[in-house]
Amino acid sequence: TKELKFALAVLMLILFLSFYSLTSLLTPMVRFTLRKFGVEFGDIEISILQLSIIVNKIELSPLDMPILQIIFIALFPSANARSEKESLDYPWSKVKIDRLKVRLTIKSRDKSNQTSWAKRAFHLKFPRPFFVVKMRSVVVEVEKAYIAPAPPADFGDDVSNQLPHAISMQQHPELLTFDQRYHVEEFRIAEIREADYITFCLERWIKYAVANMRNDSSDRQSDAQSSTSDDRLNSWISSLARILLQSVLFYIDSASVIISGAGSDIVKETRQLLPPNEVNLHLAQLRKEQRALTMISSSLIKISFSSDTMCNLLICFGGLQVKIGNPHIQQRARRSNISNNDSSSSVRRWKWYTIVQPFDAVAELKGVLPFIVYSLNYDHYWEERVLGLHLSVSSEISLTASPNNLHTLFLHLDDYLDANSPFNQWFEWLKRCHLQTLNSSSTEKETYCRSYDRTNLGRAEVLSQAQMKVLEKKMRCSEIMTLRFISMKDRWRVPKESTEFEDYLIRSRSEINSDIDDLAEESSSPFQRTYPSAPEALVTLVKEKSSIFAPKIELKCRVGTLNIHFPPDEEALCVGRQQTIPSVLSVSGISFSVEQVHPLFAIDKNQSADRRRQFAGLSVQANDLLWTVCDVDLTKNLRLPRFPDKSFVGIAYKSPQENHQKNVLDINMSLSVTPTPQEDLHISVNLSSSDVTLIGNPLPLQSACQCLLDLSNFPFQEITKVSLGEDTVAKAESDNYEGTLSTTVTADIGRSSILFLVDVQEVSCGLLHFAINRVQMKSTSLGMAGEVLVSNEPFLLSAAQVTRNQPNSQGCCFDLTMLPFKPIITITGAEIAIRAEKQQMDILGPQQMEIDVAMGVKSTEMKASPSTTAALIGAAQSLITILELGNNTRDEEVSHEEKLQKDKMCSIQHQREALLKTFSIVGVTSVDTLEEDDVEKLIHLNCNGQSNAQHLTQTEIEREKDFVRLLAGESLTLDKINTMLFRFANGIDDSNFASTLQTAGVGCDGLPQCATFSSELSLYNLVYFDDLREYSSMHEVYRITGETKLYSTSRFPAPILWHRGPGVDLFWELYRSECGCTRDSLCGQDIKTVQQKLVRSLCNYEFAKFCWKTLVVGSLIHNHDIVETNWLLDDDPIQHIPSVFARLLQSINEDPKETEKTAQLSTYAISVSVVIDYA
């Protein structure tokens, strides 16, 4: 036993020493080999016990590694740049990995997907190896380039003057320039690569079709898909790829992609000051510390593949965020030092702004195995595959809509967003210049045609493979395929019994006509073409089948909540502009999906080939919407409207609905084409929205709109005009879309409303509620002709108020109570039809657009009164504030606010002095306590100067008393009454439970939370008004009549039917208590006063008039002292009955100086009612 242990120890020591020496020998060899590919690393740690390899401090250049270069160019095209010498000021793009660990583990196989007992036993006995790759601190540094090197020599001397934004590398060897050599080489082999791939797919298709026909003839149709060599090879590739992918797991701890490029402020300033030919040169001269940075980082990334047969790619992101780093203000490249002559600053400092807050997401990529098979071999059923990306965000996404920072982000990604970006312009120019160099003689084409058929090998005129490649570089793909057709016409034959080829001709509406020698013209459309031979038609079929867009592609995204922050403009404060009001737009329950199918395969065999083909669909849905104003220090100094709980009034909310089933927003868009050579495009858009409440809050709305306008002002690159050859210009013109565009747009908006503020600063002053029951719009267009139809269900504009500010069961943040007034405006059956058509009087003459507009309204009813007119004027003035806001500077606004505050303090002092004078008339001094009788005197004194309060109902008198008792307490002193009036002056009443101003020091803290603040819950709808006819509340109507719903607001049931009799007693009880009358006597009151009190007690003008005529008149007819019993309020309905203490407040607010100047005040009462049956 001792000898065995000693032997094992010696063996382990020998293995360790040999392995250590082997590691020491391998490390320099690996370092030397990888250094050729631009890879540097620190050290390597190999552990036998843990079966792991650790590599530290890895740094590699993606442009020196072919595979990484392809991926890198696909993601960042403009970063494929080099310089003659690398420097710290102008570094190359790098990938840095702090630590890489690869570990081999053993993992049990997934037996749930295995149906065979033998496979289950094999998987249980032999678990599979599993590789875990862990990386830490992965940083991808992307350096954008803006300029191009000198053009190649074979482009010609005259072309160098046409190069957009070109410089000489000898003059600026340190600057990064686009990798022209790589792209030129790609252009030269791109045509050859495409021709070779088409040839490969063509030969494989013919072989596959022949093999299937043989299987069918051998009665082996059930095994047809697995009988060909391609199917067997694809099955092996798929199985092997599944085993390899499911054996790998990646963990990345702290990964980030940092894009370095010019910031938006520098780009905007440079493009304004410098000519276009010099802009990109100056942007390229920006040093590393003068450039802005875009950082896309994630704290954790996990990459794995699903264990099922689909083997989908799963990527989990933790803490994914986007940041913008702007260089320090002293280091920004301005016009004075745009040439970078100042080299004193070498400290790299950036000020970071978070554009997207950290969030977690899971991405699932479907169709991995079919894509691998497609990349490695021929897949005959590639068009039937499905590729998809499903993205799910578990946490909310917060986006900051900062225009400058977002413009920097867009500029760093302008390769995809700006068609005229420096790289895109140069790339298109380089591609067209390369096409000009493609030219081959007829002799070379004949020689190539003879040499392509390898049966002619051995002849003297036959070219070698290398010589053929040289000739192919002078030709386009279409020319190469044409020569190959001529050479292989006897060998490339389409089987006549091929049903797939026949289906293609039917689907594409094409035909084969041997009478023509060649195709009429080269077209990118596969529809409605005539081919001289079947192989040429087969080329189009193979090209469409093997396209990357042939399979169905779907993109689905699900986001719980998206928050868009409209931030304050910090730079606006520096230049004295108007302050920006921050707000947050929150959209919940967002689902986004895009589906794409190839138009050629978008129909079934049983469908007509002439029908329109839908090839793309877009769907966007949102379940909830909330747009609020942020409660930050910047907005606290502004006079913005607030809810009763002192929170700011927002812009948009979700309307409370009992049966809420629809989404707040639902957009469906589809794109389809006609199977014609022009492929006429048709766009269909369906938009529906419901349960949305918009508030015309002018200041935050104007601020958000201004932010969106600034965001839309993207600094696009100007187009550089380049004069090219006639062939290139003709090719460019042929690439333009020549089909006819037609659109169909339908919109359906229902159960929504718009609230207009009567006062831009006080929500307690009331709201105008514009109810949109339903609006339907349909727009159709074909070319330059179109039609728009708009229809609506009744529009109602009514008065309303906010009564509560707590979230309800439907999620709305406030409750809206309609005031008992009749609607101000009612529009029913409005229809608008707009038709436009382009007409051309002469072939050579100017074109003329004819537009017809027809409008019709079934009925329009308007009810105008002093109160509604004032509300409309106030709402209009609040909206006008949007136009006035941008005209005033911040200094002017501050001066105006100071003046208003000074006037307010003078008004408060004047109120205190006038209050002493008013209370002295009642007989109360500043140190006395008011008794209940004194309160009665005060009420009587302020009721139009009369000795009693006959014009008020008993409930209204008790309401005034309760209001005073609640605010001032049991012991009523002058100071308490003064405090009460101060609260009343600042908007505290029965319909507004919070002050709109800071009332510190007057003892009103906690008042809105008092449960007994209002006199009675039944008095919520008791509103003081200007026009008695505005009252239309049904509360008392239902209580007295016993009805629960009436279909007419002017027709009521007979009194004998009220509660089957007892309802009449309820009316007389209210009539006696509130109006102070008996059944047969008015008790000395004026008849008009009694009628006014009856309307206010019943809160309904029409019902009070009905009760007066059916009940009161019949009871008063026996009283000979009463001569007049008619309803008098129809002739003189205007009776202004404000609150008693509102009158007191109004009297003590009058300026004595102004009172002396005003000899007489005139009051105008205007009532207008307009009804349009049809217009």
Side-chain angles (χ1 to χ4, degrees):
T1 306
K2 293 182 179 180
E3 290 78 1
L4 181 59
K5 291 182 179 179
F6 179 76
L8 290 175
V10 172
L11 179 60
M12 294 295 295
L13 180 61
I14 294 174
L15 291 176
F16 176 78
L17 293 176
S18 60
F19 184 77
Y20 179 78
S21 59
L22 180 62
T23 304
S24 302
L25 293 175
L26 288 178
T27 300
M29 297 175 59
V30 173
R31 189 188 306 275
F32 177 77
T33 304
L34 295 180
R35 187 172 294 175
K36 295 182 179 180
F37 297 96
V39 180
E40 297 286 348
F41 61 89
D43 55 354
I44 300 178
E45 301 176 8
I46 302 177
S47 175
I48 301 179
L49 298 178
Q50 295 183 359
L51 299 179
S52 64
I53 300 176
I54 301 176
V55 183
N56 298 316
K57 305 298 181 182
I58 302 176
E59 181 177 329
L60 55 91
S61 175
L63 303 181
D64 295 332
M65 305 182 69
I67 298 179
L68 285 182
Q69 186 178 18
I70 296 175
I71 301 175
F72 193 80
I73 294 175
L75 296 176
F76 314 104
S78 61
N80 183 24
R82 301 173 185 269
S83 61
E84 290 188 357
K85 61 177 183 178
E86 187 177 4
S87 62
L88 295 177
D89 292 333
Y90 306 100
W92 292 10
S93 299
K94 298 288 185 181
V95 178
K96 299 179 181 179
I97 304 175
D98 184 65
R99 190 170 187 263
L100 172 63
K101 180 179 180 180
V102 181
R103 184 180 179 183
L104 175 63
T105 60
I106 304 299
K107 184 178 180 181
S108 60
R109 299 177 181 267
D110 187 7
K111 304 180 292 297
S112 59
N113 297 324
Q114 304 299 332
T115 57
S116 174
W117 65 269
K119 291 183 178 181
R120 286 174 175 267
F122 177 79
H123 290 170
L124 181 63
K125 186 68 176 177
F126 301 99
R128 62 185 173 90
F130 196 78
F131 292 92
V132 179
V133 181
K134 294 185 178 180
M135 289 178 280
R136 185 180 65 189
S137 298
V138 178
V139 180
V140 180
E141 297 180 354
V142 181
E143 302 292 336
K144 284 182 64 66
Y146 295 92
I147 54 178
D154 56 349
F155 278 11
D157 297 335
D158 57 335
V159 181
S160 60
N161 297 325
Q162 305 168 5
L163 176 61
H165 318 298
I167 64 169
S168 175
M169 296 181 62
Q170 288 75 16
Q171 297 178 359
H172 305 275
E174 75 283 356
L175 299 183
L176 292 174
T177 57
F178 302 134
D179 193 350
Q180 183 172 255
R181 181 176 55 184
Y182 172 84
H183 291 289
V184 170
E185 186 63 28
E186 285 294 316
F187 289 149
R188 289 173 178 173
I189 64 176
E191 303 288 338
I192 303 175
R193 186 187 294 116
E194 183 180 359
D196 291 342
Y197 183 71
I198 294 175
T199 303
F200 168 78
C201 295
L202 178 66
E203 294 176 347
R204 289 300 182 94
W205 188 94
I206 297 175
K207 181 179 179 181
Y208 197 95
V210 172
N212 280 337
M213 292 173 56
R214 292 175 179 174
N215 292 332
D216 294 340
S217 62
S218 303
D219 296 333
R220 292 162 52 188
Q221 185 176 1
S222 60
D223 299 330
Q225 294 185 358
S226 60
S227 61
T228 63
S229 58
D230 285 325
D231 287 335
R232 292 191 294 269
L233 179 59
N234 292 342
S235 179
W236 279 102
I237 294 175
S238 179
S239 301
L240 182 60
R242 184 186 301 109
I243 294 174
L244 295 178
L245 295 178
Q246 292 179 350
S247 301
V248 180
L249 177 63
F250 293 89
Y251 285 99
I252 304 178
D253 186 10
S254 180
S256 60
V257 177
I258 303 177
I259 306 176
S260 175
S264 61
D265 53 349
I266 298 179
V267 173
K268 294 175 184 178
E269 182 180 1
T270 307
R271 289 178 178 174
Q272 290 178 356
L273 299 177
L274 300 178
N277 293 331
E278 301 180 14
V279 171
N280 290 331
L281 175 60
H282 291 292
L283 295 180
Q285 289 178 314
L286 294 175
R287 297 190 185 94
K288 177 71 174 182
E289 65 271 9
Q290 293 175 325
R291 293 187 170 200
L293 302 180
T294 295
M295 177 186 291
I296 305 174
S297 62
S298 179
S299 59
L300 178 64
I301 300 177
K302 179 182 177 181
I303 304 176
S304 61
F305 296 87
S306 60
S307 59
D308 54 6
T309 56
M310 301 301 295
C311 192
N312 296 329
L313 175 62
L314 303 176
I315 306 178
C316 301
F317 297 94
L320 186 63
Q321 62 178 339
V322 179
K323 291 184 177 181
I324 298 296
N326 291 324
H328 198 269
I329 190 66
Q330 287 82 5
Q331 296 179 354
R332 291 183 180 178
R334 298 298 181 183
R335 179 68 183 94
S336 58
N337 61 344
I338 197 70
S339 60
N340 299 315
N341 294 326
D342 185 11
S343 60
S344 61
S345 177
S346 60
V347 180
R348 300 180 180 181
R349 300 178 58 187
W350 289 271
K351 186 176 181 181
W352 292 96
Y353 300 90
T354 302
I355 299 299
V356 179
Q357 298 292 336
F359 66 94
D360 302 331
V362 177
E364 180 181 8
L365 183 61
K366 296 184 177 181
V368 176
L369 294 181
F371 184 78
I372 294 177
V373 173
Y374 164 78
S375 303
L376 300 179
N377 193 37
Y378 172 73
D379 186 2
H380 190 76
Y381 302 96
W382 170 244
E383 73 277 4
E384 300 178 6
R385 310 302 183 189
V386 178
L387 305 180
L389 175 62
H390 294 183
L391 181 63
S392 177
V393 180
S394 58
S395 59
E396 64 180 19
I397 300 179
S398 296
L399 171 66
T400 301
S402 175
N404 288 334
N405 293 331
L406 286 179
H407 286 171
T408 299
L409 175 63
F410 295 157
L411 287 172
H412 290 176
L413 302 177
D414 60 353
D415 299 333
Y416 303 98
L417 302 177
D418 187 3
N420 300 314
S421 65
F423 174 80
N424 291 334
Q425 282 196 36
W426 172 79
F427 183 82
E428 291 298 326
W429 171 86
L430 190 68
K431 182 178 180 180
R432 293 176 180 178
C433 290
H434 168 71
L435 293 178
Q436 285 183 331
T437 62
L438 300 180
N439 187 16
S440 58
S441 63
S442 58
T443 304
E444 293 174 336
K445 292 180 179 180
E446 293 177 0
T447 305
Y448 177 85
C449 185
R450 289 194 303 269
S451 303
Y452 186 77
D453 189 358
R454 308 315 296 172
T455 58
N456 298 325
L457 291 176
R459 298 183 181 180
E461 65 272 10
V462 175
L463 302 177
S464 63
Q465 290 287 350
Q467 292 173 332
M468 292 178 62
K469 290 297 181 183
V470 174
L471 289 181
E472 288 176 347
K473 290 183 179 181
K474 299 180 180 180
M475 295 182 289
R476 298 184 180 181
C477 175
S478 58
E479 297 175 342
I480 297 175
M481 291 305 303
T482 301
L483 297 177
R484 291 181 180 181
F485 275 130
I486 298 175
S487 178
M488 305 291 291
K489 61 181 179 180
D490 296 333
R491 301 176 59 183
W492 288 353
R493 294 181 179 180
V494 180
K496 296 181 180 180
E497 296 82 1
S498 176
T499 58
E500 183 180 2
F501 184 74
E502 295 177 357
D503 292 340
Y504 160 71
L505 294 179
I506 296 174
R507 290 185 178 186
S508 62
R509 304 174 65 194
S510 302
E511 62 180 356
I512 298 176
N513 187 359
S514 58
D515 295 336
I516 62 175
D517 297 333
D518 197 358
L519 290 175
E521 59 180 0
E522 184 178 355
S523 175
S524 60
S525 174
F527 299 112
Q528 209 169 353
R529 300 182 63 182
T530 302
Y531 300 95
S533 62
E536 291 183 292
L538 182 61
V539 170
T540 305
L541 171 61
V542 170
K543 288 175 61 177
E544 302 299 331
K545 280 176 60 70
S546 59
S547 172
I548 188 63
F549 299 104
K552 180 181 179 180
I553 301 176
E554 58 182 20
L555 171 63
K556 296 183 179 180
C557 180
R558 181 73 180 178
V559 180
T561 303
L562 174 62
N563 299 325
I564 302 178
H565 297 261
F566 296 93
D569 191 353
E570 297 180 357
E571 294 188 1
L573 303 180
C574 300
V575 298
R577 286 171 47 193
Q578 175 64 36
Q579 292 178 342
T580 305
I581 301 173
S583 59
V584 180
L585 173 60
S586 299
V587 184
S588 302
I590 303 175
S591 60
F592 174 84
S593 64
V594 178
E595 293 185 357
Q596 181 267 336
V597 293
H598 197 286
L600 184 61
F601 313 107
I603 62 171
D604 298 332
K605 296 181 180 180
N606 299 327
Q607 295 177 342
S608 174
D610 298 334
R611 64 187 296 269
R612 187 182 292 159
R613 320 284 181 87
Q614 179 179 341
F615 67 92
L618 169 66
S619 175
V620 179
Q621 296 177 351
N623 186 41
D624 198 357
L625 177 67
L626 182 64
W627 197 344
T628 58
V629 176
C630 299
D631 190 1
V632 297
D633 295 336
L634 180 62
T635 56
K636 289 180 180 179
N637 299 326
L638 303 176
R639 301 190 64 183
L640 300 177
R642 296 173 180 260
F643 283 122
D645 66 346
K646 298 184 180 181
S647 62
F648 291 109
V649 176
I651 300 175
Y653 298 87
K654 179 181 178 180
S655 303
Q657 298 290 342
E658 295 181 358
N659 298 324
H660 176 72
Q661 296 179 353
K662 294 186 177 180
N663 295 318
V664 170
L665 181 64
D666 197 340
I667 301 176
N668 294 302
M669 183 176 68
S670 62
L671 282 74
S672 57
V673 295
T674 57
T676 59
Q678 294 79 19
E679 293 189 3
D680 298 333
L681 179 63
H682 178 76
I683 302 176
S684 177
V685 180
N686 296 324
L687 170 65
S688 63
S689 178
S690 64
D691 303 332
V692 177
T693 298
L694 300 177
I695 300 180
N697 198 356
L699 301 183
L701 186 59
Q702 189 269 350
S703 178
C705 293
Q706 185 62 43
C707 183
L708 293 176
L709 290 176
D710 294 341
L711 184 60
S712 63
N713 188 20
F714 182 77
F716 288 104
Q717 172 73 36
E718 294 184 5
I719 301 177
T720 302
K721 296 182 180 180
V722 179
S723 58
L724 299 175
E726 296 180 356
D727 296 338
T728 307
V729 174
K731 178 64 169 57
E733 292 179 354
S734 64
D735 293 339
N736 297 332
Y737 177 72
E738 298 179 355
T740 303
L741 176 64
S742 61
T743 61
T744 300
V745 180
T746 59
D748 190 350
I749 302 175
R751 296 192 305 180
S752 300
S753 58
I754 302 176
L755 301 181
F756 299 98
L757 299 176
V758 176
D759 192 325
V760 69
Q761 298 175 351
E762 301 287 347
V763 73
S764 61
C765 293
L767 303 169
L768 291 182
H769 179 265
F770 183 68
I772 303 175
N773 294 322
R774 190 177 186 183
V775 176
Q776 292 179 312
M777 185 196 74
K778 184 177 181 180
S779 172
T780 58
S781 68
L782 178 61
M784 296 300 293
E787 180 181 43
V788 179
L789 301 177
V790 181
S791 62
N792 79 295
E793 294 184 5
F795 287 151
L796 298 177
L797 181 62
S798 308
Q801 65 178 355
V802 176
T803 56
R804 194 167 64 93
N805 190 210
Q806 298 295 331
N808 53 27
S809 59
Q810 287 80 25
C812 187
C813 296
F814 63 91
D815 278 347
L816 196 66
T817 300
M818 305 305 298
L819 296 182
F821 303 154
K822 294 181 180 180
I824 302 173
I825 300 177
T826 303
I827 302 176
T828 306
E831 295 184 356
I832 301 175
I834 303 175
R835 295 177 176 85
E837 184 178 0
K838 183 182 69 173
Q839 296 183 354
Q840 188 170 356
M841 306 304 295
D842 189 5
I843 298 178
L844 301 177
Q847 295 179 351
Q848 181 179 357
M849 179 67 69
E850 181 178 348
I851 301 176
D852 296 332
V853 180
M855 295 183 293
V857 180
K858 184 177 181 180
S859 64
T860 301
E861 185 177 357
M862 302 178 61
K863 298 181 178 65
S865 65
S867 58
T868 58
T869 304
L872 290 173
I873 294 175
Q877 290 178 347
S878 65
L879 296 179
I880 292 176
T881 309
I882 298 180
L883 303 177
E884 297 178 349
L885 184 63
N887 298 330
N888 298 331
T889 62
R890 185 166 56 92
D891 297 335
E892 294 176 350
E893 291 290 332
V894 172
S895 177
H896 181 66
E897 292 292 335
E898 292 178 352
K899 184 178 181 300
L900 291 179
Q901 187 66 20
K902 184 178 179 180
D903 295 342
K904 184 65 178 178
M905 296 302 297
C906 295
S907 177
I908 293 176
Q909 181 64 26
H910 175 63
Q911 290 178 16
R912 295 178 184 273
E913 297 175 356
L915 186 63
L916 281 173
K917 181 179 179 180
T918 304
F919 275 38
S920 63
I921 300 176
V922 187
V924 180
T925 62
S926 60
V927 296
D928 292 339
T929 301
L930 274 72
E931 302 297 337
E932 188 170 354
D933 295 339
D934 299 327
V935 177
E936 289 277 358
K937 293 179 182 179
L938 193 60
I939 294 175
H940 296 167
L941 179 64
N942 288 276
C943 289
N944 293 334
Q946 301 178 6
S947 58
N948 52 56
Q950 291 183 350
H951 71 292
L952 291 181
T953 66
Q954 186 61 33
T955 302
E956 292 170 336
I957 294 176
E958 293 299 327
R959 176 189 185 185
E960 300 293 341
K961 292 182 180 180
D962 294 340
F963 186 72
V964 176
R965 294 193 192 99
L966 179 64
L967 292 176
E970 294 297 333
S971 59
L972 303 179
T973 61
L974 180 64
D975 292 337
K976 289 186 177 181
I977 293 296
N978 181 50
T979 301
M980 181 270 294
L981 289 177
F982 180 81
R983 297 170 183 169
F984 192 83
N986 288 284
I988 299 180
D989 53 21
D990 280 358
S991 62
N992 183 28
F993 298 161
S995 173
T996 57
L997 295 179
Q998 298 294 331
T999 55
V1002 295
C1004 67
D1005 295 338
L1007 180 62
Q1009 288 73 28
C1010 182
T1012 60
F1013 182 77
S1014 290
S1015 306
E1016 296 181 31
L1017 295 178
S1018 61
L1019 293 181
Y1020 280 172
N1021 291 329
L1022 184 59
V1023 181
Y1024 295 107
F1025 54 91
D1026 291 332
D1027 191 345
L1028 291 174
R1029 293 180 301 181
E1030 293 179 352
Y1031 260 133
S1032 59
S1033 174
M1034 303 300 291
H1035 176 73
E1036 289 292 335
V1037 177
Y1038 293 151
R1039 185 183 71 85
I1040 294 176
T1041 61
E1043 301 290 338
T1044 59
K1045 186 175 182 181
L1046 295 176
Y1047 295 96
S1048 176
T1049 58
S1050 59
R1051 302 179 65 180
F1052 307 96
I1056 195 174
L1057 301 178
W1058 296 353
H1059 288 285
R1060 296 183 181 180
V1064 178
D1065 296 334
L1066 295 177
F1067 167 77
W1068 287 118
E1069 181 181 353
L1070 181 141
Y1071 181 73
R1072 177 186 56 80
S1073 62
E1074 299 301 325
C1075 299
C1077 305
T1078 61
R1079 291 196 178 192
D1080 56 357
S1081 176
L1082 299 181
C1083 298
Q1085 300 184 73
D1086 180 71
I1087 186 173
K1088 183 179 291 188
T1089 301
V1090 175
Q1091 291 177 354
Q1092 294 169 0
K1093 295 165 72 172
L1094 181 61
V1095 174
R1096 298 200 311 275
S1097 301
L1098 295 175
C1099 297
N1100 192 300
Y1101 183 84
E1102 296 295 338
F1103 186 62
K1105 182 179 179 179
F1106 176 80
C1107 293
W1108 179 269
K1109 291 183 177 182
T1110 57
L1111 295 176
V1112 180
V1113 173
S1115 300
L1116 296 178
I1117 196 173
H1118 302 291
N1119 191 337
H1120 301 288
D1121 297 335
I1122 302 176
V1123 180
E1124 181 67 41
T1125 59
N1126 294 330
W1127 185 258
L1128 305 178
L1129 299 185
D1130 285 340
D1131 299 330
D1132 187 16
I1134 307 302
Q1135 292 293 328
H1136 184 67
I1137 312 295
S1139 170
V1140 172
F1141 286 98
R1143 288 176 177 270
L1144 176 61
L1145 185 63
Q1146 182 179 0
S1147 64
I1148 65 178
N1149 268 329
E1150 294 178 355
D1151 194 344
K1153 298 180 180 180
E1154 295 182 358
T1155 304
E1156 295 176 358
K1157 296 179 180 180
T1158 305
Q1160 183 179 0
L1161 296 177
S1162 301
T1163 302
Y1164 297 92
I1166 302 175
S1167 180
V1168 180
S1169 179
V1170 179
V1171 178
I1172 303 175
D1173 293 332
Y1174 184 80

